[in-house]
């Protein structure tokens, strides 16, 4: 309603004369104050986002940890937090093959900065699909897979979540391993899907609670969505064996569950790209309809470039090709409304390597280099902890695989390591093995020995 002149509200204060326009900063300030004095006090205090509807959220735990590490001025500090590869000097490693691809791209007369197609760069997505599904995958030869380039693995999980939230008519609860990557729960929650947990990590053995996992997946309502890490589980570093994957496939087939594979570490776990994708390939071979989220952050060291891919595979059958065409058309609409089209740089780098057999072979070598250094750090940490007589057993450090180890350290122990020894790791005791090197490993092993010995 328009304010009436007979309203009892006091008339607005007369506008003060405008400040003389000079170039000085004090007169600019005066002008701003002038404008502010025109805003009625009632308006100034109005927000559509009061604290009860928009409460202060906590800082992201992982990125908060990275910030605290950067602010620490101690020479002793060690970053075992975020899952990003470091070399033996604790420095980020730009893969030599990535440098080569970068030069090729930079010098290319074809280079421009036009929009990518909505589904991404075809040369990239087709090779990404072959890499993870297998070049001879029946999903590809029978034309029942579709791929979308995404904002790294995170964007792929989001796209998959969004697609399921909109179209999945089975049980709309996503079962996550206990525990899982910290972002999973909020990605699904943000698109309105419920989440539940299946047992995964056994604190007793520091390994897989396979019986608990199977029982929970068996007990989940038919057609539940089951999120699985096909290799190098984050945060535990514990993977099922191939025989265990086979058992899981039987249960999931009987219960008609929908497998949602999130693969952030292909080639990074064992150093062998095919081996790290074998669970996904097995499920496809069994005829599952499923989806796969693929990140190139870790295996190409392209963390900030956000190169990733989303793949949907439908089951075999006469209608499969038509089904996947329909699915692809809806994914394109979701992609267009979310990001319009994906960013180019990281995908161009990966695509250059994936499409050139010589560069591809060099990439495999780079991967073996990274996974090999991590394996040697696992061995070194375990043997040092054992040699120091650290209470407990430490075989899980070498039994676990991939970027992370779930040490079994308690939250107070983690806090002491940070406060007293400048060693940073997530509260749940996860360490990024890539943060260890030949220079800091003694400091880390000695510190763990001390806190474990004193706070058992
Ligand atoms: C991690 O778990 O440290 C990485 O996957 C980084 C991230 O985005 O969480």
């Amino acid at each position: 309603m328009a304010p009436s002149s007979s309203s009892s509200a006091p008339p607005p204060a007369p506008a003060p004369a405008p400040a003389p326009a000079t170039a000085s900063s004090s007169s600019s300030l005066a002008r701003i104050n002038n404008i502010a004095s025109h805003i009625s006090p009632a308006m100034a205090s109005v927000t559509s986002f009061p604290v009860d509807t928009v409460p202060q959220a906590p800082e992201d735990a992982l990125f908060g940890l990275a910030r605290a590490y950067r602010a620490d001025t101690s020479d002793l500090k060690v970053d075992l937090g975020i899952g990003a590869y470091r070399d033996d000097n604790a420095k980020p490693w730009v893969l030599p093959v990535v440098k080569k691809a970068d030069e090729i791209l930079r010098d290319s007369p074809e280079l421009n900065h036009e929009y990518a197609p909505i589904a991404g760069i075809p040369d990239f997505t087709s090779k990404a699909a072959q890499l993870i599904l297998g070049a001879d995958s029946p999903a590809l030869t029978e034309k029942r897979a579709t791929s979308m380039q995404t904002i790294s693995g995170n964007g792929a999980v989001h796209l998959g979540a969004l697609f399921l939230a909109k179209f999945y008519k089975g049980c709309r609860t996503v079962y996550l391993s206990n525990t899982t990557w910290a972002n999973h729960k909020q990605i699904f929650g943000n698109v309105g899907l419920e989440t539940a947990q299946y047992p995964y990590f056994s604190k007793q053995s520091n390994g897989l609670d396979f019986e608990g996992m199977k029982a929970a997946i068996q007990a989940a309502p038919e057609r539940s969505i089951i999120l699985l890490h096909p290799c190098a589980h984050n945060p535990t570093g514990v993977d099922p064996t191939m025989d265990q994957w086979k058992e899981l496939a039987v249960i999931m087939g009987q219960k008609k569950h929908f497998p949602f594979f999130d693969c952030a570490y292909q080639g990074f776990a064992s150093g062998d790209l095919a081996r790290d994708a074998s669970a996904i390939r097995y499920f496809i071979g069994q005829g599952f309809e499923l989806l796969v989220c693929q990140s190139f952050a870790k295996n190409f060291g392209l963390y900030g470039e956000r190169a990733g891919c989303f793949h949907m595979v439908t089951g075999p059958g006469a209608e499969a090709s038509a089904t996947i065409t329909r699915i692809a058309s809806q994914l394109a609409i979701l992609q267009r409304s979310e990001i319009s089209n994906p960013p180019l740089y990281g995908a161009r780098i990966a695509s250059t390597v994936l499409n050139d057999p010589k560069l591809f072979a060099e990439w495999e070598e780079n991967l073996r280099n990274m996974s090999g250094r991590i394996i040697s750090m696992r061995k070194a940490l375990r043997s040092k902890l054992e040699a120091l007589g650290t209470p407990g057993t430490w075989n899980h450090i070498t039994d676990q695989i991939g970027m992370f180890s779930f040490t079994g350290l308690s939250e107070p122990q983690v806090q002491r390591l940070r406060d007293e020894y400048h060693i940073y790791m997530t509260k749940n005791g996860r360490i990024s093995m890539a943060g260890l090197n030949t220079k800091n490993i003694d400091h880390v092993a000695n510190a763990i020995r001390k806190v474990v010995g004193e706070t058992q």
Side-chain angles (χ1 to χ4, degrees):
M1 193 173 120
S4 98
S5 55
S6 63
S7 135
S8 56
T22 74
S24 80
S25 59
S26 62
S27 71
S28 307
L29 198 61
R31 268 204 308 278
I32 292 165
N33 287 339
N34 246 342
I35 294 164
S37 71
H38 282 84
I39 300 170
S40 83
M43 283 304 287
S45 64
V46 166
T47 174
S48 300
F49 312 106
V51 67
D52 53 343
T53 52
V54 186
Q56 181 67 40
E59 182 180 22
D60 180 87
L62 193 62
F63 281 78
L65 187 71
R67 190 182 47 70
Y69 170 78
R70 281 195 299 273
D72 188 330
T73 53
S74 168
D75 290 341
L76 289 175
K77 69 177 180 176
V78 179
D79 182 9
L80 305 179
I82 203 152
Y85 184 78
R86 301 285 177 253
D87 65 11
D88 197 46
N89 294 311
K91 295 278 182 264
W93 194 52
V94 181
L95 273 59
V97 76
V98 165
K99 283 193 178 151
K100 281 192 188 163
D102 195 18
E103 271 164 34
I104 293 169
L105 284 171
R106 210 168 339 115
D107 295 342
S108 165
E110 307 292 310
L111 183 74
N112 61 47
H113 302 286
E114 294 298 295
Y115 293 121
I118 290 173
I121 307 168
D123 281 352
F124 168 72
T125 53
S126 59
K127 283 290 173 190
Q130 289 174 22
L131 185 76
I132 198 146
L133 308 180
D136 56 355
S137 172
L140 297 175
T141 52
E142 293 164 20
K143 298 201 183 332
R144 50 186 176 85
T146 187
S147 304
M148 282 266 152
Q149 187 185 322
T150 54
I151 311 278
S152 202
N154 193 112
V157 175
H158 174 69
L159 185 62
L162 204 59
F163 181 83
L164 294 178
K166 192 158 179 194
F167 297 108
Y168 190 62
K169 299 293 179 228
C171 168
R172 294 161 59 83
T173 300
V174 185
Y175 283 76
L176 306 171
S177 56
N178 181 18
T179 153
T180 190
W181 180 47
N183 218 13
H184 278 146
K185 194 169 158 50
Q186 64 188 0
I187 293 177
F188 291 109
N190 283 344
V191 299
L193 290 175
E194 296 288 326
T195 53
Q197 287 188 322
Y198 57 83
Y200 192 81
F201 185 74
S202 156
K203 285 197 172 130
Q204 283 70 47
S205 67
N206 285 316
L208 185 65
D209 176 3
F210 187 54
E211 292 309 314
M213 179 184 188
K214 276 193 304 186
I217 290 175
Q218 176 79 59
E222 271 201 1
R223 301 188 67 209
S224 293
I225 301 161
I226 314 287
L227 190 140
L228 299 160
H229 303 222
C231 66
H233 184 272
N234 181 2
T236 66
V238 172
D239 288 343
T241 63
M242 201 57 221
D243 284 342
Q244 289 171 332
W245 280 119
K246 289 180 181 171
E247 275 191 64
L248 289 171
V250 171
I251 298 170
M252 289 186 50
Q254 284 163 353
K255 296 293 308 249
K256 302 185 176 60
H257 291 328
F258 186 87
F260 188 122
F261 282 106
D262 184 9
C263 186
Y265 296 92
Q266 189 187 2
F268 204 95
S270 67
D272 179 336
L273 288 154
R275 186 171 155 198
D276 288 353
S278 49
I280 295 172
R281 295 178 187 184
Y282 182 77
F283 273 68
I284 291 174
Q286 297 304 298
F288 278 87
E289 180 167 68
L290 52 79
L291 65 81
V292 181
C293 303
Q294 181 182 27
S295 166
F296 289 104
K298 326 277 176 174
N299 54 14
F300 269 104
L302 287 171
Y303 304 94
E305 303 304 343
R306 319 306 292 138
C309 213
F310 172 83
H311 310 278
M312 183 80 136
V313 175
T314 195
E319 290 298 308
S321 243
T323 303
I324 209 70
T325 306
R326 281 187 290 102
I327 291 172
S329 72
Q330 293 295 344
L331 285 169
I333 289 175
L334 295 178
Q335 174 98 316
R336 173 82 167 124
S337 66
E338 291 277 306
I339 62 166
S340 190
N341 48 81
L344 289 167
Y345 180 71
R348 276 176 170 160
I349 296 269
S351 183
T352 304
V353 175
L354 296 176
N355 283 285
D356 179 322
K358 229 173 126 224
L359 292 178
F360 190 94
E362 193 175 330
W363 177 46
E364 289 181 297
E365 191 51 45
N366 291 176
L367 277 168
R368 282 192 288 272
N369 191 319
M370 291 191 285
S371 56
R373 199 186 78 73
I374 287 180
I375 289 167
S376 74
M377 284 300 111
R378 286 189 182 278
K379 288 187 185 144
L381 181 63
R382 175 180 172 184
S383 71
K384 281 179 195 293
L385 290 173
E386 287 174 349
L388 289 165
T390 315
T393 55
W394 298 97
N395 57 301
H396 57 284
I397 302 282
T398 48
D399 292 346
Q400 296 168 356
I401 191 169
M403 181 79 96
F404 303 111
S405 180
F406 219 45
T407 57
L409 293 167
S410 66
E411 205 175 319
Q413 290 168 336
V414 168
Q415 194 61 44
R416 275 195 66 193
L417 286 166
R418 176 170 159 177
D419 295 344
E420 296 172 31
Y421 300 96
H422 306 271
I423 298 168
Y424 291 73
M425 66 186 71
T426 53
K427 279 195 303 199
N428 56 10
R430 181 191 87 166
I431 60 176
S432 173
M433 295 305 299
L436 289 175
N437 58 53
T438 52
K439 287 115 193 165
N440 64 23
I441 194 148
D442 284 323
H443 171 58
V444 172
N446 286 326
I448 293 176
R449 164 73 186 89
K450 288 217 176 80
V451 301
V452 172
E454 289 163 21
T455 53
Q456 273 196 92

